[in-house]
Amino acid sequence: QVQLVESGGGLVQAGGSLRLSCVASGSTFGITTMGWYRQAPGKQRDLVASITRGGSTNSADSVKGRFTISRDNAKNTVYLQMNSLKPEDTAVYYCNFQGPWYSSWGQGTQVTVSS
């Protein structure tokens, strides 16, 4: 299965920006959708944004206008540009690649936004 590695998380002040990257190893043939999810302590893992191989995007209402998902199919990489960060964005962010018969997850990267 595809192995994913996230990077780019860290500590940032409210109003700041971060750019997350997720690199997939091996062949991504058959992958239909790539996405970013986040999970705060005591809460469920929720979709932040997703993108298809063709570039169609979807995002949660809470991040519309602030976060942008993009991908580079040739590099097997998906990005999440996060602007105007808020303390409520604090969570572990996970990358996901979805195929027709399996779903691959990264180990997550911590994003902490201070007020």
Side-chain angles (χ1 to χ4, degrees):
Q1 294 182 328
V2 175
Q3 186 171 346
L4 308 176
V5 179
E6 302 102 332
S7 63
L11 175 63
V12 65
Q13 189 174 359
S17 299
L18 286 173
R19 185 176 187 248
L20 306 183
S21 298
C22 174
V23 180
S25 64
S27 176
T28 57
F29 179 82
I31 296 295
T32 59
T33 306
M34 297 150 281
W36 287 96
Y37 293 71
R38 67 185 181 187
Q39 186 169 24
K43 298 183 179 180
Q44 68 179 29
R45 185 176 299 184
D46 293 326
L47 175 69
V48 176
S50 64
I51 187 169
T52 67
R53 294 185 69 88
S56 298
T57 61
N58 187 34
S59 61
D61 289 341
S62 60
V63 305
K64 287 185 183 298
R66 300 188 299 120
F67 292 8
T68 303
I69 189 170
S70 61
R71 85 281 181 265
D72 186 333
N73 290 337
K75 295 182 178 180
N76 293 332
T77 303
V78 63
Y79 307 93
L80 185 67
Q81 179 66 48
M82 305 186 294
N83 298 325
S84 301
L85 283 162
K86 304 175 181 179
E88 52 263 43
D89 295 319
T90 295
V92 177
Y93 285 70
Y94 298 90
C95 179
N96 171 258
F97 277 40
Q98 181 67 50
W101 300 292
Y102 67 91
S103 181
S104 296
W105 292 89
Q107 292 299 306
T109 184
Q110 177 71 49
V111 172
T112 302
V113 184
S114 62
S115 60

